[in-house]
Short mmCIF file of all heavy atoms in Angstrom, two decimals:
data_model
loop_
_atom_site.label_atom_id
_atom_site.label_comp_id
_atom_site.label_asym_id
_atom_site.label_seq_id
_atom_site.Cartn_x
_atom_site.Cartn_y
_atom_site.Cartn_z
N ASP A 44 85.97 9.99 85.33
CA ASP A 44 84.64 10.54 85.50
C ASP A 44 84.73 12.06 85.67
O ASP A 44 85.60 12.56 86.40
CB ASP A 44 83.96 9.90 86.72
CG ASP A 44 82.61 10.50 86.99
OD1 ASP A 44 81.67 10.21 86.25
OD2 ASP A 44 82.52 11.32 87.95
N PRO A 45 83.84 12.82 85.04
CA PRO A 45 83.91 14.29 85.16
C PRO A 45 83.82 14.77 86.59
O PRO A 45 84.53 15.74 86.99
CB PRO A 45 82.72 14.78 84.33
CG PRO A 45 82.50 13.70 83.34
CD PRO A 45 82.83 12.42 84.04
N GLY A 46 82.98 14.15 87.42
CA GLY A 46 82.89 14.56 88.82
C GLY A 46 84.19 14.31 89.56
O GLY A 46 84.66 15.15 90.35
N THR A 47 84.79 13.15 89.33
CA THR A 47 86.08 12.86 89.95
C THR A 47 87.14 13.86 89.50
O THR A 47 87.95 14.33 90.32
CB THR A 47 86.53 11.43 89.59
OG1 THR A 47 85.57 10.50 90.11
CG2 THR A 47 87.90 11.12 90.19
N GLY A 48 87.10 14.22 88.23
CA GLY A 48 88.03 15.23 87.73
C GLY A 48 87.87 16.56 88.43
O GLY A 48 88.85 17.22 88.78
N VAL A 49 86.62 16.98 88.66
CA VAL A 49 86.37 18.24 89.38
C VAL A 49 86.89 18.14 90.82
O VAL A 49 87.54 19.05 91.32
CB VAL A 49 84.86 18.58 89.35
CG1 VAL A 49 84.56 19.72 90.33
CG2 VAL A 49 84.42 18.96 87.95
N LEU A 50 86.63 17.03 91.46
CA LEU A 50 87.12 16.85 92.85
C LEU A 50 88.63 16.96 92.90
O LEU A 50 89.19 17.64 93.77
CB LEU A 50 86.65 15.48 93.38
CG LEU A 50 87.05 15.15 94.82
CD1 LEU A 50 86.38 16.11 95.81
CD2 LEU A 50 86.70 13.70 95.14
N LEU A 51 89.33 16.31 91.97
CA LEU A 51 90.79 16.32 91.98
C LEU A 51 91.36 17.70 91.62
O LEU A 51 92.48 18.01 92.00
CB LEU A 51 91.33 15.26 91.02
CG LEU A 51 91.05 13.79 91.43
CD1 LEU A 51 91.53 12.84 90.37
CD2 LEU A 51 91.72 13.47 92.77
N ARG A 52 90.60 18.49 90.89
CA ARG A 52 91.07 19.83 90.57
C ARG A 52 90.77 20.85 91.64
O ARG A 52 91.55 21.80 91.86
CB ARG A 52 90.43 20.32 89.23
CG ARG A 52 91.04 19.73 87.99
CD ARG A 52 90.56 20.48 86.75
NE ARG A 52 89.10 20.37 86.56
CZ ARG A 52 88.53 19.37 85.88
NH1 ARG A 52 89.29 18.41 85.34
NH2 ARG A 52 87.23 19.34 85.74
N GLU A 53 89.64 20.71 92.33
CA GLU A 53 89.15 21.77 93.20
C GLU A 53 89.42 21.57 94.69
O GLU A 53 89.52 22.53 95.43
CB GLU A 53 87.64 21.93 92.98
CG GLU A 53 87.23 22.29 91.56
CD GLU A 53 87.67 23.68 91.16
OE1 GLU A 53 87.97 24.50 92.05
OE2 GLU A 53 87.73 23.96 89.94
N ALA A 54 89.53 20.32 95.15
CA ALA A 54 89.73 20.07 96.59
C ALA A 54 91.22 20.10 96.89
O ALA A 54 92.02 19.63 96.10
CB ALA A 54 89.13 18.73 96.97
N PRO A 55 91.60 20.65 98.04
CA PRO A 55 93.01 20.71 98.41
C PRO A 55 93.51 19.34 98.85
O PRO A 55 92.91 18.69 99.69
CB PRO A 55 93.06 21.70 99.58
CG PRO A 55 91.68 21.61 100.18
CD PRO A 55 90.73 21.33 99.05
N PHE A 56 94.60 18.90 98.28
CA PHE A 56 95.15 17.60 98.61
C PHE A 56 95.76 17.63 100.01
O PHE A 56 96.26 18.66 100.47
CB PHE A 56 96.21 17.17 97.60
CG PHE A 56 95.68 16.97 96.22
CD1 PHE A 56 96.08 17.78 95.18
CD2 PHE A 56 94.73 15.99 95.96
CE1 PHE A 56 95.59 17.61 93.91
CE2 PHE A 56 94.23 15.81 94.68
CZ PHE A 56 94.66 16.63 93.65
N PRO A 57 95.77 16.49 100.69
CA PRO A 57 96.48 16.42 101.96
C PRO A 57 97.97 16.70 101.75
O PRO A 57 98.52 16.39 100.71
CB PRO A 57 96.23 14.98 102.43
CG PRO A 57 95.90 14.23 101.20
CD PRO A 57 95.18 15.19 100.30
N GLY A 58 98.59 17.28 102.76
CA GLY A 58 100.00 17.63 102.66
C GLY A 58 100.90 16.40 102.74
O GLY A 58 100.49 15.31 103.16
N PRO A 59 102.15 16.56 102.34
CA PRO A 59 103.09 15.43 102.32
C PRO A 59 103.35 14.82 103.69
O PRO A 59 103.77 13.67 103.75
CB PRO A 59 104.36 16.02 101.71
CG PRO A 59 104.24 17.50 101.91
CD PRO A 59 102.76 17.80 101.85
N ASP A 60 103.09 15.57 104.76
CA ASP A 60 103.32 15.03 106.10
C ASP A 60 102.07 14.40 106.70
O ASP A 60 102.09 13.95 107.85
CB ASP A 60 103.82 16.14 107.03
CG ASP A 60 105.17 16.70 106.60
OD1 ASP A 60 105.97 15.93 106.03
OD2 ASP A 60 105.41 17.89 106.81
N THR A 61 100.98 14.38 105.96
CA THR A 61 99.73 13.80 106.45
C THR A 61 99.93 12.30 106.75
O THR A 61 100.37 11.54 105.89
CB THR A 61 98.61 13.96 105.44
OG1 THR A 61 98.41 15.35 105.19
CG2 THR A 61 97.31 13.36 105.96
N ALA A 62 99.62 11.91 107.99
CA ALA A 62 99.84 10.52 108.38
C ALA A 62 98.64 9.64 108.08
O ALA A 62 98.73 8.43 108.05
CB ALA A 62 100.19 10.45 109.86
N GLY A 63 97.47 10.28 107.91
CA GLY A 63 96.26 9.51 107.62
C GLY A 63 95.73 8.82 108.86
O GLY A 63 95.97 9.27 109.98
N PRO A 64 95.03 7.68 108.67
CA PRO A 64 94.70 7.08 107.37
C PRO A 64 93.70 7.92 106.59
O PRO A 64 92.96 8.73 107.15
CB PRO A 64 94.09 5.73 107.77
CG PRO A 64 94.46 5.50 109.19
CD PRO A 64 94.59 6.85 109.79
N LEU A 65 93.71 7.68 105.28
CA LEU A 65 92.77 8.34 104.36
C LEU A 65 91.86 7.30 103.78
O LEU A 65 92.22 6.12 103.67
CB LEU A 65 93.56 9.03 103.24
CG LEU A 65 94.68 9.96 103.67
CD1 LEU A 65 95.45 10.46 102.45
CD2 LEU A 65 94.13 11.15 104.46
N LEU A 66 90.66 7.71 103.39
CA LEU A 66 89.67 6.81 102.82
C LEU A 66 89.20 7.32 101.48
O LEU A 66 88.77 8.46 101.35
CB LEU A 66 88.47 6.66 103.77
CG LEU A 66 87.26 5.87 103.22
CD1 LEU A 66 87.62 4.42 102.91
CD2 LEU A 66 86.09 5.95 104.20
N ASP A 67 89.28 6.45 100.47
CA ASP A 67 88.64 6.68 99.18
C ASP A 67 87.41 5.82 99.15
O ASP A 67 87.48 4.59 98.98
CB ASP A 67 89.61 6.33 98.04
CG ASP A 67 89.00 6.46 96.65
OD1 ASP A 67 87.85 6.88 96.56
OD2 ASP A 67 89.70 6.13 95.67
N LEU A 68 86.25 6.42 99.33
CA LEU A 68 84.98 5.69 99.47
C LEU A 68 84.30 5.55 98.12
O LEU A 68 83.97 6.55 97.48
CB LEU A 68 84.07 6.45 100.45
CG LEU A 68 82.70 5.84 100.73
CD1 LEU A 68 82.82 4.43 101.28
CD2 LEU A 68 81.92 6.74 101.67
N GLY A 69 84.10 4.30 97.68
CA GLY A 69 83.59 4.04 96.36
C GLY A 69 84.68 4.26 95.33
O GLY A 69 84.54 5.02 94.39
N CYS A 70 85.79 3.56 95.50
CA CYS A 70 87.04 3.89 94.83
C CYS A 70 87.06 3.59 93.35
O CYS A 70 87.88 4.13 92.62
CB CYS A 70 88.20 3.16 95.52
SG CYS A 70 88.04 1.37 95.54
N GLY A 71 86.20 2.67 92.86
CA GLY A 71 86.32 2.26 91.46
C GLY A 71 87.71 1.69 91.18
O GLY A 71 88.27 0.99 92.03
N TYR A 72 88.25 2.03 90.02
CA TYR A 72 89.60 1.50 89.70
C TYR A 72 90.71 2.28 90.39
O TYR A 72 91.89 1.92 90.27
CB TYR A 72 89.81 1.47 88.17
CG TYR A 72 89.74 2.85 87.51
CD1 TYR A 72 90.86 3.63 87.38
CD2 TYR A 72 88.52 3.31 87.01
CE1 TYR A 72 90.79 4.88 86.78
CE2 TYR A 72 88.44 4.55 86.41
CZ TYR A 72 89.57 5.32 86.28
OH TYR A 72 89.49 6.57 85.69
N GLY A 73 90.38 3.38 91.09
CA GLY A 73 91.32 3.99 91.99
C GLY A 73 91.99 5.29 91.60
O GLY A 73 93.09 5.58 92.09
N PRO A 74 91.38 6.16 90.78
CA PRO A 74 92.05 7.42 90.47
C PRO A 74 92.27 8.30 91.70
O PRO A 74 93.36 8.92 91.83
CB PRO A 74 91.11 8.09 89.43
CG PRO A 74 89.80 7.42 89.61
CD PRO A 74 90.08 6.02 90.04
N ILE A 75 91.28 8.39 92.59
CA ILE A 75 91.48 9.21 93.79
C ILE A 75 92.55 8.58 94.67
O ILE A 75 93.44 9.29 95.18
CB ILE A 75 90.17 9.38 94.54
CG1 ILE A 75 89.16 10.19 93.72
CG2 ILE A 75 90.40 10.05 95.89
CD1 ILE A 75 87.77 10.28 94.31
#
Side-chain angles (χ1 to χ4, degrees):
D44 177 74
T47 298
V49 169
L50 181 65
L51 293 176
R52 282 193 297 271
E53 300 292 341
F56 296 116
D60 297 328
T61 301
L65 309 174
L66 172 63
D67 177 2
L68 179 58
C70 59
Y72 62 88
I75 294 173

